[in-house]
Amino acid sequence: MHRLFAIIAAAAVLLLTGCATTINSNVTAFHAWPAELPDKSFVFAPTKTQSDSLEYRNYEQLIRTELLRLGFTDTRDGKPATLKVAFNYGVQTATVVVTQPVYDPFWYGSGYGRWGAVRPWGPYDPFWGQPLQQTAFPVFQRLLALSIERTSNGQKLYEVTVESEGSQATLPMAMPYMVRSAFSEFPGPSGVSRYVKLKLDKPGQATTATTTTAQ
């Protein structure tokens, strides 16, 4: 219920402002990351469908960049890797309906009498409600699910889910920020949902992040 209200509130803000300046994500990670892992070589493990996808390759490169930044080692040259990285992504669509009062000059009239606002046909009646209108607009929930496991025995070491709502289905635009959010404070607390807010990049400006632990 709280999440639904949050989605509606965020969507209403986007509707009013018309242009987002941040990418906001809910990040939940579970991990059993070892205190010492000398060899952090990794390889991606795409499905057959993903192997043929140019979109997948684009997101793979984003994740590779973050892993290298964290000290992992890429093994695209065919050497055995200690870790295997897999991920899925997608967009789900929902419809949010916002009910707002409608200003109607014929409803309130143009003057005030002894009892308040005067309609053309008489004084204001508090039992008459203000006219309302409903506006429906789409909200897109962008999803990224990523896991890291040992190649030797399939032991899961890290699982993270990133969810980000927006007024447009712009997954390619949002994915760089969602990937950064997935590795924010890596490996971070296990089993705790965090709210990560990233400002949209400007040329020559570094991205800044704000992280809040969900209550």
Side-chain angles (χ1 to χ4, degrees):
M1 183 62 69
H2 292 292
R3 179 170 179 75
L4 177 60
F5 288 149
I7 294 174
I8 293 175
V13 170
L14 288 173
L15 181 65
L16 294 175
T17 60
C19 182
T21 58
T22 61
I23 296 293
N24 307 322
S25 301
N26 290 310
V27 180
T28 305
F30 295 88
H31 70 82
W33 202 259
E36 295 292 335
L37 187 63
D39 184 359
K40 293 195 291 184
S41 59
F42 69 92
V43 65
F44 285 94
T47 65
K48 177 59 171 67
T49 301
Q50 290 174 335
S51 297
D52 298 331
S53 171
L54 294 177
E55 182 181 14
Y56 173 89
R57 294 179 191 176
N58 182 274
Y59 302 154
E60 179 185 278
Q61 183 56 41
L62 294 174
I63 295 170
R64 177 180 289 108
T65 299
E66 284 299 302
L67 290 173
L68 294 176
R69 181 184 64 83
L70 292 169
F72 288 72
T73 305
D74 193 0
T75 56
R76 284 186 292 176
D77 55 5
K79 294 181 180 179
T82 301
L83 303 172
K84 180 170 62 176
V85 181
F87 66 95
N88 287 293
Y89 52 88
V91 178
Q92 297 178 346
T93 307
T95 300
V96 174
V97 179
V98 176
T99 302
Q100 297 175 311
V102 179
Y103 172 72
D104 184 353
F106 295 101
W107 184 265
Y108 294 103
S110 58
Y112 290 85
R114 178 180 179 184
W115 304 105
V118 179
R119 294 196 185 91
W121 57 88
Y124 171 74
D125 184 349
F127 295 101
W128 282 77
Q130 185 177 357
L132 301 174
Q133 72 173 3
Q134 290 186 330
T135 303
F137 56 94
V139 173
F140 299 95
Q141 185 182 49
R142 302 173 291 237
L143 305 172
L144 170 65
L146 180 145
S147 67
I148 302 176
E149 63 183 51
R150 295 185 185 272
T151 55
S152 59
N153 56 13
Q155 178 191 6
K156 290 287 181 67
L157 297 181
Y158 187 71
E159 291 181 335
V160 62
T161 301
V162 182
E163 301 177 347
S164 175
E165 284 90 22
S167 60
Q168 299 178 352
T170 51
L171 186 60
M173 182 276 294
M175 187 59 73
Y177 303 92
M178 295 174 65
V179 170
R180 295 180 205 173
S181 298
F183 293 103
S184 173
E185 302 178 4
F186 179 86
S190 181
V192 177
S193 294
R194 295 175 291 120
Y195 184 75
V196 180
K197 182 177 181 179
L198 291 173
K199 291 184 179 180
L200 294 178
D201 287 340
K202 294 181 181 179
Q205 180 180 9
T207 300
T208 57
T210 302
T211 303
T212 305
T213 301
Q215 301 296 324

